[in-house]
């Protein structure tokens, strides 16, 4: 798949960009100066305003829709078991097929987002998710159902790229809080499905439940057309004019002027979204550790979601003997629907995610990304070990409450750390491969949470969480307070600008200056800014 990035020339034909600048340069020509600013300067100046609230709403609804889909699998298990007389293994395969689709498709969506843009990936994913979701409500048999949920999982994995898109518009100061607060919409999505389960499943079939839950995705699909393309993607592709147009749109929405001067691009990359760039010497250690940490976080989080449903079926954690539970996994289990009491208990454990999100949001800015992930994983590990003991339902609920909140806090901090540690050219692919690795964990977790005994499952979750906590310590970089990287390779600073029909401005010698001081924008168009630069060189 070839890149669509190419050299561009502005509409006026006055300036053709041959090179790029990595910092804020001031060019000296005949004793005069012309001021320029980088994309980071523009983003920091524009801050967080109406534009970002709208972007947060659309991206947040994408997360809400994804949570709806994930929770649907957990809630529908008993209904599908009664419909097709399924064994515990067959119930577990439904979840695994969904996550297999995510594992296989996530890197493809990431590569698509790096090459053709983040918006393209999100819009196409929304449409395909709705289409396959509606089809699954008409599935005539079990085999068709798991195949369609494989396609739904693959399509829904594109929603991860909303994180990439949103992160690339945020300032350093608020990036962590904004991305972690995506977890609020995720948790509301979980609660929405629980509420729909209470209202719909007792009076309608599971087919109507899936059909109704797919309709919001169709609405969100149309909303995603408003999404702007990432300015960082445009800049690294050399499409400076499109980046300027988006920045001017943000400026109008937020009522904040852009910095004075001319926008200068970061290093242009001809080839984007290459897997091998993730495992070069500089990135290899970070990539491999993140793949494992994502795997364990996802394995543990979705394990808690599924394990909660399983543990609510019994009065205490020792109610089912290990060998009986193991034999039942190979047979057709008795048909049992979730009761209202079960739904309420599941809802209470879901509410644990809100304090977890708050803790992650505060701690990631105060302590840093790495300490937050490590501490939350450690607390989750302790809660999981405690579930090994024979406990009453009240104590089980409390441990599930704390454990689920902590694992989500760690998971959401990972969503902050991963785009910060990857450069723009492979950022979407980096997140995509991490999601793919995480889905390996979610493919396996149903067979742990729903097949083996709950005490053995708790021991497995605790052990892997401890290993992930240790792995966090070996991550080479802390990203708190740092700007997003545009390139992973050092380049010499240069500025080569050519006027239409004229020789190159060879007398202009760039040098690195300090950040452009906050100044009111002149409000000039690109043509006017270029004219000002040309005038300064005369």
């Amino acid at each position: 798949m070839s890149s669509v990035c190419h050299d561009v020339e502005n509409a006026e034909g006055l300036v053709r960009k041959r090179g790029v600048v990595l910092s804020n340069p001031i060019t000296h020509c005949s004793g005069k100066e012309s001021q320029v600013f980088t994309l980071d300067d523009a983003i920091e100046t524009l801050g967080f305003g109406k534009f970002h609230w709208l972007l947060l709403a659309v991206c947040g609804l994408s997360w809400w829709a994804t949570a709806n889909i994930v929770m649907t699998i957990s809630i529908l298990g008993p209904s599908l078991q009664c419909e097709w007389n399924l064994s515990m293994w067959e119930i577990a395969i439904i979840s695994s097929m969904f996550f297999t689709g995510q594992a296989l498709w996530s890197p493809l969506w990431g590569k698509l987002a790096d090459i053709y843009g983040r918006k393209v990936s999100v819009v196409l994913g929304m449409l395909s998710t709705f289409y396959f979701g509606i089809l699954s409500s008409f599935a005539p048999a079990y085999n068709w159902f798991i195949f369609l949920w494989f396609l739904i999982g693959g399509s829904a994995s594109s929603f991860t790229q909303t994180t990439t898109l949103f992160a690339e518009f945020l300032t350093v100061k608020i990036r962590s809080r904004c991305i972690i607060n995506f977890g609020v919409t995720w948790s509301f999505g979980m609660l929405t499905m629980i509420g729909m389960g209470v209202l719909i499943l007792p009076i309608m079939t599971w087919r109507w439940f899936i059909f109704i839950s797919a309709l919001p995705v169709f609405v969100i699909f149309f909303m995603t057309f408003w999404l702007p393309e990432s300015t960082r993607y445009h800049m690294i592709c050399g499409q400076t004019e499109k980046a300027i147009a988006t920045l001017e749109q943000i400026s109008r929405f937020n009522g904040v002027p852009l910095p004075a001067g001319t926008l200068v691009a970061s290093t242009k990359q001809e080839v984007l979204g290459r897997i091998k760039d993730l495992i070069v010497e500089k990135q290899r250690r970070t990539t491999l550790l993140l793949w494992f940490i994502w795997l364990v976080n996802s394995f543990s989080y979705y394990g808690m979601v599924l394990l909660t449903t399983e543990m609510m079926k019994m009065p205490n954690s020792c109610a089912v003997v290990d060998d009986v539970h193991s034999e039942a996994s190979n047979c057709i289990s008795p048909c049992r629907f979730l009761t209202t009491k079960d739904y309420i208990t599941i809802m209470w454990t879901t509410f644990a995610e809100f304090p977890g999100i708050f803790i992650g949001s505060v701690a990631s800015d105060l302590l840093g990304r790495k300490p937050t992930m490590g501490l939350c994983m450690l607390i989750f590990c302790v809660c999981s070990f405690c579930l090994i003991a024979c406990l009453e339902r009240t104590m089980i609920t409390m441990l599930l409450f704390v454990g689920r909140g902590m694992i989500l806090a760690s998971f959401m901090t990972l969503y902050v750390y991963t785009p910060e540690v990857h450069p723009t050219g492979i950022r979407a692919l980096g997140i995509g491969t991490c999601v793919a690795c995480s889905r390996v964990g979610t493919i396996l977790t149903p067979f742990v949470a729903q097949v083996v005994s709950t005490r053995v499952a708790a021991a497995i979750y605790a052990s892997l969480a401890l290993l992930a906590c240790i792995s966090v310590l070996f991550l080479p970089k802390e990203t708190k307070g740092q700007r997003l990287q545009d390139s992973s390779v050092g380049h010499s600073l240069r500025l080569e600008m050519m006027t239409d029909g004229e020789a190159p401005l060879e007398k202009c010698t760039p040098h690195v200056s300090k950040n452009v001081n906050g100044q009111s924008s002149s409000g000039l168009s690109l043509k006017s800014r270029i004219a000002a630069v040309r005038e300064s060189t005369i």
Side-chain angles (χ1 to χ4, degrees):
M1 188 178 294
S2 60
S3 172
V4 297
C5 298
H6 50 77
D7 291 330
V8 293
E9 187 171 349
N10 64 30
E12 292 78 15
L14 294 176
V15 175
R16 180 161 59 88
K17 183 175 71 67
R18 296 174 55 198
V20 291
V21 182
L22 293 180
S23 298
N24 302 335
I26 296 180
T27 58
H28 292 265
C29 304
S30 303
K32 297 186 178 182
E33 295 184 358
S34 65
Q35 194 174 51
V36 295
F37 63 92
T38 64
L39 180 59
D40 281 321
D41 296 322
I43 290 174
E44 294 295 326
T45 299
L46 293 172
F48 190 94
K50 293 180 181 178
F51 172 87
H52 297 86
W53 281 112
L54 289 173
L55 188 61
L56 174 62
V58 177
C59 294
L61 283 173
S62 300
W63 276 63
W64 175 80
T66 307
N68 287 356
I69 296 168
V70 172
M71 198 63 187
T72 297
I73 304 172
S74 179
I75 290 176
L76 285 184
S79 298
L80 296 174
Q81 180 184 10
C82 295
E83 174 83 10
W84 289 314
N85 295 323
L86 303 178
S87 67
M88 294 300 296
W89 280 95
E90 289 171 317
I91 292 293
I93 287 173
I94 297 174
S95 300
S96 292
M97 287 299 290
F98 173 83
F99 293 125
T100 299
Q102 290 201 320
L104 295 178
W105 288 33
S106 289
L108 299 179
W109 288 119
K111 189 175 182 67
L112 180 69
D114 275 332
I115 295 176
Y116 292 101
R118 286 61 162 129
K119 180 178 178 178
V120 173
S121 180
V122 174
V123 172
L124 291 179
M126 278 285 181
L127 180 61
S128 56
T129 300
F130 167 74
Y131 177 71
F132 294 127
I134 292 295
L135 284 182
S136 70
S137 67
F138 296 98
Y142 171 74
N143 291 338
W144 271 105
F145 187 84
I146 61 175
F147 173 70
L148 288 170
W149 273 87
F150 166 79
L151 297 178
I152 293 171
S155 301
S157 62
S158 69
F159 298 176
T160 307
Q161 299 310 325
T162 58
T163 306
T164 308
L165 178 65
F166 191 49
E168 292 179 337
F169 282 105
L170 296 174
T171 65
V172 173
K173 185 177 180 180
I174 64 172
R175 187 187 305 129
S176 175
R177 278 173 289 169
C178 288
I179 296 177
I180 290 179
N181 283 328
F182 268 154
V184 174
T185 58
W186 173 274
S187 300
F188 272 120
M190 293 280 190
L191 293 173
T192 300
M193 282 296 99
I194 295 171
M196 287 181 63
V198 174
L199 296 175
I200 295 176
L201 288 177
I203 59 176
M204 296 183 182
T205 65
W206 61 267
R207 298 180 186 276
W208 276 107
F209 182 80
I210 294 179
F211 186 88
I212 294 172
S213 65
L215 294 179
V217 180
F218 188 61
V219 177
I220 300 170
F221 163 70
F222 286 102
M223 297 178 67
T224 56
F225 281 100
W226 173 83
L227 288 174
E229 186 51 81
S230 167
T231 52
R232 291 186 182 275
Y233 166 78
H234 282 317
M235 294 297 282
I236 205 167
C237 287
Q239 300 169 354
T240 311
E241 283 187 329
K242 293 182 179 180
I244 290 175
T246 302
L247 291 174
E248 289 176 341
Q249 178 188 6
I250 300 173
S251 177
R252 290 191 297 270
F253 263 91
N254 291 357
V256 178
L258 288 169
T262 304
L263 177 64
V264 180
S266 302
T267 300
K268 179 180 179 295
Q269 291 184 213
E270 297 296 335
V271 182
L272 303 173
R274 296 187 302 185
I275 288 286
K276 68 178 184 180
D277 290 336
L278 288 172
I279 54 176
V280 295
E281 184 178 356
K282 185 177 180 180
Q283 290 284 136
R284 187 182 303 123
R285 180 178 170 185
T286 298
T287 297
L288 295 177
L289 286 173
L290 281 178
W291 284 351
F292 176 71
I293 296 169
W294 273 80
L295 186 152
V296 174
N297 269 262
S298 187
F299 178 84
S300 302
Y301 174 76
Y302 289 107
M304 284 293 105
V305 174
L306 297 174
L307 192 63
T308 298
T309 304
E310 295 303 311
M311 298 193 82
M312 292 307 104
K313 296 178 181 178
M314 59 190 74
N316 59 70
S317 59
C318 298
V320 178
V321 182
D322 291 357
D323 57 350
V324 174
H325 195 79
S326 178
E327 291 178 5
S329 66
N330 299 314
C331 306
I332 297 175
S333 302
C335 181
R336 179 188 181 277
F337 291 100
L338 294 176
T339 65
T340 302
K341 183 179 180 181
D342 294 331
Y343 280 117
I344 292 174
T345 305
I346 295 171
M347 184 176 292
W348 273 114
T349 58
T350 304
F351 272 114
E353 298 188 354
F354 292 102
I357 292 166
F358 175 77
I359 291 171
S361 177
V362 174
S364 63
D365 279 334
L366 292 179
L367 305 178
R369 294 16 170 177
K370 288 175 56 179
T372 300
M373 289 187 289
L375 182 60
C376 290
M377 289 295 292
L378 183 61
I379 296 175
F380 171 80
C381 175
V382 173
C383 291
S384 298
F385 268 125
C386 290
L387 288 173
I388 298 174
C390 290
L391 303 170
E392 295 302 318
R393 185 159 174 160
T394 302
M395 183 59 68
I396 292 172
T397 303
M398 290 178 59
L399 290 171
L400 289 172
F401 186 94
V402 176
R404 186 162 171 177
M406 290 299 99
I407 194 61
L408 182 64
S410 174
F411 210 169
M412 295 309 301
T413 307
L414 261 180
Y415 271 101
V416 177
Y417 182 83
T418 304
E420 288 180 336
V421 82
H422 285 116
T424 300
I426 56 171
R427 181 170 295 124
L429 180 62
I431 294 180
T433 56
C434 284
V435 171
C437 290
S438 74
R439 293 319 180 237
V440 174
T442 48
I443 291 168
L444 299 175
T445 202
F447 298 99
V448 175
Q450 296 178 317
V451 176
V452 304
S453 72
T454 55
R455 300 170 70 188
V456 173
I460 294 173
Y461 291 128
S463 301
L464 286 176
L466 183 60
L467 290 177
C469 181
I470 296 172
S471 298
V472 169
L473 301 177
F474 289 94
L475 287 170
K477 184 179 181 181
E478 171 60 57
T479 59
K480 174 189 172 183
Q482 297 187 10
R483 292 183 174 184
L484 296 181
Q485 304 177 64
D486 283 328
S487 176
S488 58
V489 182
H491 293 268
S492 58
L493 185 62
R494 61 193 178 95
L495 178 64
E496 298 175 352
M497 303 183 71
M498 181 181 291
T499 57
D500 188 28
E502 297 180 5
L505 302 175
E506 298 176 349
K507 294 182 181 180
C508 295
T509 305
H511 70 276
V512 180
S513 68
K514 296 181 179 179
N515 289 340
V516 178
N517 294 329
Q519 299 180 18
S520 62
S521 173
S522 58
L524 298 178
S525 65
L526 175 63
K527 181 176 180 179
S528 301
R529 294 176 187 175
I530 294 170
V533 174
R534 291 190 61 188
E535 181 181 357
S536 68
T537 62
I538 300 175

